[in-house]
Amino acid sequence: MLSLDGIKAFYGTSQALFGIGFSVKRGEVVTLLGRNGMGKTTTINSIMGIVSPSSGSIKFEGVEITKLPSFKTANLGIGLVPEGRQIFPNLTVRENLVATASNHQKNDHPWSLEMIFDMFPELAERVHSMGNLLSGGEQQMLAIGRALMTNPQLLILDEATEGLAPLIREKIWHSLGQIRDNGLSILVVDKNVADLIKLADRHVIIEKGKVVWTGTSDDLQADVKLQQRYLGV
Ligand code: ATP
């Protein structure tokens, strides 16, 4: 479904990605792991057209998306839950959900407000509240709901549960399980490796802008040295 090959990216003269390559298959949950500053966000932003790679290729459903602007990538069926959530602060919960809603891929059973509120009853209770009045957990639920309302085939989450309390984290992981069971593919960045091992099929570890390891949850779980070396857990 998604494939990256030889992606290099720079910020000015400083190189952040040194030839990233990996893939996500249909229906798969894949993680991007690595310590701080290793290039996970830059990789995601390259997929989304927020960072423009200097070389390499990114394909989604066989279409070259490497140089596409973000809105075109989104229209092709990739939904982003960005680091820091980036909720529209001066729109209500409902307005945040409908402002960018779309169904460009003609999904037969498109996401509706009711489906989002079934998944996150907390949002239904706050439907008329302004985005900036929500807790961090509610904002993350809203960011996921907003992305789902664009009816993506692939959902990308950057720091899915950063700064959230354990109970809220559990809710987010549970919702991602439901979303996966709905048939979506998921690419997720997070620091809670134990939770990711339970949720994901495969893991991609990035170190200094390069992929240094890929493997299944069982492989990762079994290799404590690998976890210590690249993830510091
Ligand atoms: P984190 O978990 O801390 O967000 P990350 O793995 O997502 O880390 P990136 O944010 O992609 O890593 O950063 C990769 C490298 O690029 C780092 O060396 C970082 O300092 C640098 N970098 C990131 N954003 C910028 C920017 N806007 N300008 C200059 N350098 C940047």
Side-chain angles (χ1 to χ4, degrees), residues 11 16 35-42 83 159 191:
Y11 294 102
R35 289 199 175 93
N36 288 352
M38 292 302 166
K40 304 180 296 295
T41 296
T42 307
E83 190 171 20
E159 302 292 358
K191 296 201 170 56

Side-chain angles (χ1 to χ4, degrees), residues 58-125:
I58 306 175
K59 287 188 179 159
F60 180 65
E61 298 282 38
V63 178
E64 185 73 47
I65 62 166
T66 321
K67 298 287 177 194
L68 284 190
S70 305
F71 79 93
K72 288 199 175 164
T73 302
N75 288 354
L76 286 172
I78 306 185
L80 175 66
V81 179
E83 190 171 20
R85 289 126 204 177
Q86 298 180 23
I87 292 304
F88 303 119
N90 52 351
L91 297 185
T92 65
V93 165
R94 187 179 186 286
E95 288 166 345
N96 264 281
L97 289 170
V98 299
T100 53
S102 60
N103 187 10
H104 289 278
Q105 301 307 309
K106 306 270 183 281
N107 183 348
D108 289 341
H109 303 286
W111 288 87
S112 62
L113 287 176
E114 291 69 32
M115 290 159 76
I116 302 297
F117 292 151
D118 273 352
M119 183 177 291
F120 299 123
E122 295 84 349
L123 293 182
E125 286 167 22

Side-chain angles (χ1 to χ4, degrees), residues 173-195:
W173 295 131
H174 181 70
S175 70
L176 292 183
Q178 285 178 282
I179 291 163
R180 174 200 56 203
D181 295 345
N182 240 290
L184 267 79
S185 309
I186 300 177
L187 177 63
V188 54
V189 170
D190 201 83
K191 296 201 170 56
N192 295 287
V193 177
D195 291 329

